[in-house]
């Protein structure tokens, strides 16, 4: 159409997998590009860094955060911090990202952290629980941008059967309710599957209520 506002496709309905709600293609390509531009501004103020695990090995994923709290890891352990390792407060969560939380989770409390994970080729994230937050009634919402990533979902304890799904650029995933404490991780990314990020790789944003 010409001369009228761009129409976007209706938002996808969620597909449920082990209690996670997967919204494939929630974001239009234009919305994805706008998020990347907002994330560049975040990373300019709060550069990506390679966190050390408490076991003394660097994580393969590079991270930074926006919001009142950011998630950090070092030899002292995993925790939320009000400052970047460089000593500065985190930038505010961009309005474009906050709007996704509000649209998908209108009844949830306001997010206090947007953790930004960058996966270059070969990076992965081991199975983990998100349990550094105080209120497990509040969901975690994730947004995927760039190359495809294979997400793995397990159980409330380590071990047992797992299931995987591919997360693609523009997908939203909600981990809440009975799924809130399930183990999950990223097996691998598939390089070259998206043109969104000029340098390639995958960005994942997770929005959380911390307190
Ligand atoms: C990732 N995601 O997709 C890692 N956590 O790169 C997570 O660890 C995650 O996608 C909580 C809820 C949704 C997630
Ligand atoms: Fe997680």
């Amino acid at each position: 159409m010409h001369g009228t506002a761009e129409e976007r496709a209706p938002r996808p309905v969620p597909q449920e997998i082990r209690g996670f709600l997967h919204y494939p293609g929630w974001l239009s390509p234009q919305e994805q590009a706008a998020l990347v531009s907002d994330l560049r501004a975040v990373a300019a103020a709060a550069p990506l860094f390679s966190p050390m695990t408490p076991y003394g090995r660097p994580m393969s994923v590079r991270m930074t955060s926006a919001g009142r709290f950011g998630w950090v890891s070092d030899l002292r352990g995993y925790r939320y911090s009000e400052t970047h390792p460089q000593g500065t407060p985190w930038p505010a969560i961009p309005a474009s990202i906050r709007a996704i939380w509000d649209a998908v989770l209108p009844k949830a409390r306001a997010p206090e952290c947007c953790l930004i994970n960058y996966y270059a080729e070969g990076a992965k994230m081991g199975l983990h629980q998100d349990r550094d937050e105080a209120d497990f009634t509040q969901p975690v919402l994730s947004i995927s941008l760039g190359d495809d990533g294979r997400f793995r979902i397990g159980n409330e304890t380590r071990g047992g059967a797992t299931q995987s799904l591919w997360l693609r650029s523009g997908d939203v995933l909600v981990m809440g309710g009975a799924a809130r404490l399930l183990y999950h991780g990223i097996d691998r990314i598939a390089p070259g599957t998206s043109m969104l990020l000029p340098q390639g790789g995958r960005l994942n944003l997770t929005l959380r209520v911390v307190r």
Side-chain angles (χ1 to χ4, degrees), residues 54-206:
Y55 315 102
R57 294 165 62 89
M59 296 177 70
S60 60
V61 176
R62 293 201 294 148
M63 296 183 179
T64 190
S65 293
R68 165 99 183 250
F69 298 95
W71 190 86
V72 298
S73 173
D74 58 24
L75 295 175
R76 289 164 51 202
Y78 307 126
R79 65 192 177 281
Y80 285 100
S81 165
E82 294 191 65
T83 52
H84 185 281
Q86 73 188 357
T88 54
W90 307 96
I93 298 174
S96 57
I97 295 173
R98 173 61 193 271
I100 300 165
W101 174 277
D102 291 344
V104 176
L105 299 167
K107 288 186 272 196
R109 291 170 51 200
E112 299 172 308
C113 170
C114 175
L115 173 63
I116 299 158
N117 292 148
Y118 176 71
Y119 298 73
E121 183 169 355
K124 53 191 167 37
M125 184 173 299
L127 284 174
H128 66 276
Q129 288 172 300
D130 285 23
R131 52 180 304 159
D132 299 324
E133 303 77 28
D135 182 357
F136 296 141
T137 71
Q138 296 302 303
V140 178
L141 180 148
S142 104
I143 301 162
S144 292
L145 296 168
D147 287 335
D148 299 350
R150 193 168 70 195
F151 189 76
R152 186 157 296 279
I153 306 175
N155 303 289
E156 281 199 14
T157 54
R158 284 198 181 275
T162 65
Q163 261 176 284
S164 68
L165 75 151
W166 281 96
L167 294 178
R168 301 202 156 81
S169 198
D171 288 7
V172 166
L173 185 68
V174 174
M175 181 177 76
R180 180 64 180 74
L181 290 173
L182 294 184
Y183 274 86
H184 58 278
I186 292 286
D187 297 339
R188 66 183 180 89
I189 71 161
T193 46
S194 166
M195 300 270 282
L196 182 69
L197 305 175
Q199 76 276 35
R202 172 174 184 267
L203 281 169
N204 177 259
L205 318 177
T206 43

